[in-house]
């Protein structure tokens, strides 16, 4: 039984668009196959999908290719948004996909193996975002992951953090961009998660990383004659000499870098003094 309780959280603006979350979905499908295939009835949650269920349907479609038995639940606080999702699934067009009203309490009948929460925490205070991370990670199935992040309105630039339910898997941060539109890697700073966006100042690890990223980008400028992808790959290769860039599959290596991605351990950007949880 799914317990009924008041949804926890705030109503978001609801802005969304087709393919806005393609980058993170592609990354999840490539790197999180283990959790997605765990157990007989793996469950994934799309938390706060917005005014249209289109990105939840895309999430379902992309991840079912990796895990055909995966069930997906889209969760929203606004009843009208839930109704829009249920209208899409009427008639059984998407078996295993459903929509429910709720929030951070995750009104589902079993712990999910994966929760995607994108563009949800941006309006929260930093301390509230840290608490939301803790609360959502605590509701995951053993071995599950929380993927929380932010992207621009059409998904050209995104940053997300992946938090495991428990050790030994490390938390990670991923930067991703449509490279043809990127002037400097530090342009991605505006998409940092709420726990980091105010930490992009001297003395913080994320600030040092982005400054070095820009310097490597400048050094790699001659590679731009071969296109922005070649310049990015060289940039990330240079960055990996001074920061703990993940260089091996499934998180790293040229196959991922050529997509405009780079993933590092969360420890590479973790705030020097995160706020105390309350």
């Amino acid at each position: 039984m799914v317990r009924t309780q008041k949804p926890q959280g705030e109503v978001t603006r609801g802005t969304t668009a087709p393919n806005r979350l393609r980058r993170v979905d592609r990354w999840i499908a490539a790197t999180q196959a283990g959790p997605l295939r765990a157990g007989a009835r793996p469950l994934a949650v799309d938390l706060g999908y917005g005014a249209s269920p289109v990105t939840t349907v895309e999430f379902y479609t992309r991840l079912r290719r990796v895990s055909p038995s995966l069930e997906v639940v889209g969760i929203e606080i606004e009843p009208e948004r839930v109704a829009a999702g249920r209208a899409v699934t009427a008639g059984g067009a998407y078996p295993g996909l459903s929509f429910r009203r709720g929030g951070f309490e995750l009104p589902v009948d079993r712990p999910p193996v994966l929760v995607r929460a994108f563009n949800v925490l941006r309006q929260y205070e930093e301390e509230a975002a840290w608490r939301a991370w803790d609360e959502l990670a605590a509701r995951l199935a053993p071995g599950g992951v929380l993927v929380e992040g932010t992207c621009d309105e059409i998904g050209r630039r995104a940053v997300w953090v992946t938090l495991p339910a428990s050790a030994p898997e490390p938390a990670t941060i991923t930067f991703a961009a449509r490279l043809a539109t990127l002037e400097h890697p530090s342009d991605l700073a505006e998409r940092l998660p709420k726990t980091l966006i105010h930490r992009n100042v001297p003395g913080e690890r994320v600030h040092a990383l982005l400054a070095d990223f820009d310097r490597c980008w400048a050094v790699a400028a001659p590679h731009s004659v071969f296109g922005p992808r070649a310049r990015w790959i060289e940039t990330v290769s240079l960055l990996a000499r001074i920061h703990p860039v993940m260089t091996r599959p499934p998180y790293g290596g040229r196959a991922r870098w050529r997509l405009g991605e780079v993933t590092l351990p969360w420890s590479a950007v973790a705030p020097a003094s995160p706020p105390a949880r309350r």
Side-chain angles (χ1 to χ4, degrees):
M1 291 290 292
V2 179
R3 291 178 293 178
T4 301
Q5 64 182 91
K6 182 179 179 181
Q8 298 175 11
E10 302 174 13
V11 177
T12 63
R13 288 191 307 158
T15 305
T16 190
N19 275 324
R20 187 184 186 193
L21 303 184
R22 178 176 63 88
R23 295 181 190 283
V24 66
D25 287 352
R26 177 177 61 193
W27 186 89
I28 289 171
T31 66
Q32 304 303 317
L36 292 173
R37 293 170 178 159
R41 296 175 60 220
L43 172 67
V45 167
D46 187 19
L47 179 62
Y49 54 84
S52 165
V54 61
T55 52
T56 304
V57 174
E58 292 170 346
F59 181 64
Y60 162 88
T61 301
R62 290 163 181 155
L63 298 194
R64 291 268 287 201
R65 294 175 189 147
V66 176
S67 177
S69 63
L70 183 72
E71 296 180 21
V72 173
V73 177
I75 295 176
E76 255 293 348
I77 288 180
E78 279 287 320
E80 294 82 3
R81 298 175 185 177
V82 178
R86 289 174 175 170
V88 169
T89 59
Y94 299 97
L97 174 63
S98 61
F99 293 86
R100 295 174 190 168
R101 183 169 183 248
F104 296 134
E105 78 284 358
L106 301 185
V108 291
D109 63 0
R110 60 194 187 279
V113 298
L114 187 142
V115 173
R116 184 187 73 176
F118 241 71
N119 304 305
V120 172
L121 296 179
R122 197 157 179 83
Q123 68 193 33
Y124 287 76
E125 296 297 326
E126 182 183 339
E127 289 187 13
W130 282 103
R131 288 196 299 271
W133 277 11
D134 290 341
E135 292 167 6
L136 290 171
R139 292 183 169 92
L140 293 168
V145 291
L146 165 65
V147 181
E148 191 276 316
T150 303
C151 67
D152 66 5
E153 287 72 11
I154 57 176
R156 293 173 301 180
R157 299 174 185 176
V159 181
W160 60 85
V161 173
T162 303
L163 301 170
S166 59
E169 291 299 319
T172 62
I173 185 167
T174 301
F175 299 83
R178 185 174 184 270
L179 298 177
T181 68
L182 192 69
E183 292 189 14
H184 303 94
S186 61
D187 293 345
L188 288 162
E190 64 185 18
R191 298 300 157 189
L192 288 169
K194 191 67 178 188
T195 55
L196 282 181
I197 197 164
H198 301 302
R199 304 302 186 109
N200 187 24
V201 294
E204 292 282 358
R205 294 184 185 93
V206 67
H207 182 272
L209 172 70
L210 290 173
D212 287 341
F213 212 162
D214 278 355
R215 281 191 281 270
C216 292
W217 181 252
V219 172
H223 290 259
S224 61
V225 297
F226 303 108
R229 181 176 294 168
R231 184 180 184 182
W232 175 268
I233 291 172
E234 177 63 13
T235 297
V236 175
S237 298
L238 293 171
L239 187 68
R241 298 178 184 177
I242 52 177
H243 288 276
V245 171
M246 292 187 169
T247 59
R248 296 182 179 180
Y251 293 99
R254 293 177 66 90
R256 301 246 51 95
W257 300 344
R258 69 188 304 275
L259 298 173
E261 298 173 6
V262 59
T263 297
L264 302 96
W266 168 252
S267 58
V269 296
S273 56
R277 270 67 151 187
R278 291 184 297 176

